[in-house]
Amino acid sequence: AQKVTQAQTEISVVEKEDVTLDCVYETRDTTYYLFWYKQPPSGELVFLIRRNSFDEQNEISGRYSWNFQKSTSSFNFTITASQVVDSAVYFCALSEALTNTGKLIFGQGTTLQVKP
Amino acid sequence: DAGVTQSPTHLIKTRGQHVTLRCSPISGHKSVSWYQQVLGQGPQFIFQYYEKEERGRGNFPDRFSARQFPNYSSELNVNALLLGDSALYLCASSDSGSNRYEQYFGPGTRLTVT
């Protein structure tokens, strides 16, 4: 069964704090892709990153970094020195190469509130 | 370049009615997917169309149908609306039908069924 779990429903931090959003996934496929999306109050999902199952290198993009660990089936997302504009709902998602239907399986989302 | 566009932005319908939602993908993208997002939850996959053919269908009743036109735009139709169909309907486009590529989402259509 394919599943994505984001155990943190809501996180509240003060500006400039670092924050990590957790994502744990389940899949039987050996080839799969992991994604993070941001959903601001406007509702539009904004693509942040894609990772394939064969690439476990961590990635950094500005204040954002991602830690992919196949051994624990986790793909965590860290925001360094958070800003008010980071306030949004963040979704982790999984797609499997075997089905090739374009289907993304989303977690429940984590609402991040960054206070000034 | 224009992103994914959806119309209408908001819609209010009555139980039992029918609704049509529209989506235009990013220019050059041939794949369109539809998702339903109920308040407080993650989006749920409804359909994917690639090159006008249905490539995938999620766990939704037959009241939900879709099609893709020669210009790659798409329509999602929902018949016999139920209160539980109230949600944000998101359209996403990709330049490939493959799962490996990211999908780009539109702003959504918020459907309220009363």
Side-chain angles (χ1 to χ4, degrees):
Chain A
Q2 322 107 340
K3 189 178 177 183
V4 175
T5 302
Q6 294 179 255
Q8 305 149 309
T9 308
E10 289 184 28
I11 301 176
S12 181
V13 299
V14 176
E15 210 171 16
K16 295 183 185 172
E17 282 186 14
D18 298 347
V19 58
T20 295
L21 310 181
D22 297 334
C23 172
V24 173
Y25 61 92
E26 293 175 34
T27 176
R28 290 190 200 137
D29 206 347
T30 54
T31 303
Y32 52 89
Y33 309 96
L34 296 165
F35 303 80
W36 275 95
Y37 282 86
K38 174 182 179 180
Q39 188 174 43
S42 60
E44 187 169 339
L45 283 163
V46 177
F47 166 77
L48 295 177
I49 190 171
R50 179 191 73 233
R51 219 59 187 144
N52 74 55
S53 52
F54 297 112
D55 183 1
E56 287 193 69
Q57 279 198 351
N58 292 330
E59 182 157 338
I60 298 174
S61 175
R63 296 183 298 107
Y64 296 170
S65 63
W66 291 269
N67 182 4
F68 176 30
Q69 291 198 337
K70 228 168 162 177
S71 59
T72 55
S73 297
S74 66
F75 186 42
N76 296 336
F77 172 32
T78 297
I79 302 175
T80 303
S82 60
Q83 300 176 0
V84 173
V85 292
D86 295 327
S87 297
V89 183
Y90 290 86
F91 290 98
C92 180
L94 163 74
S95 71
E96 296 174 323
L98 203 57
T99 59
N100 207 31
T101 61
K103 176 181 179 180
L104 282 171
I105 300 155
F106 284 87
Q108 294 280 78
T110 297
T111 300
L112 174 64
Q113 184 181 34
V114 181
K115 298 176 182 176
Chain B
D1 284 343
V4 177
T5 58
Q6 292 186 242
S7 63
T9 308
H10 295 87
L11 204 50
I12 300 175
K13 290 284 190 177
T14 304
R15 271 179 302 177
Q17 285 188 318
H18 161 270
V19 69
T20 297
L21 310 181
R22 295 178 175 83
C23 171
S24 291
I26 291 171
S27 178
H29 284 191
K30 299 179 180 177
S31 170
V32 169
S33 297
W34 287 94
Y35 291 81
Q36 180 197 66
Q37 186 178 18
V38 173
L39 197 63
Q41 296 184 19
Q44 297 288 315
F45 175 74
I46 309 175
F47 288 110
Q48 188 211 22
Y49 277 78
Y50 178 67
E51 288 276 20
K52 301 177 288 278
E53 303 251 334
E54 181 184 303
R55 290 280 290 272
R57 171 185 281 259
N59 190 21
F60 280 81
D62 291 343
R63 299 185 295 108
F64 288 77
S65 64
R67 55 180 176 166
Q68 187 176 33
F69 299 99
N71 66 353
Y72 303 111
S73 67
S74 177
E75 279 182 358
L76 175 70
N77 295 284
V78 187
N79 292 324
L81 284 167
L82 303 174
L83 294 179
D85 295 332
S86 295
L88 179 67
Y89 287 85
L90 294 162
C91 172
S93 79
S94 172
D95 61 4
S96 164
S98 168
N99 280 15
R100 72 174 64 188
Y101 297 105
E102 57 268 29
Q103 298 181 30
Y104 294 91
F105 284 80
T109 293
R110 185 158 300 281
L111 172 65
T112 302
V113 182
T114 62

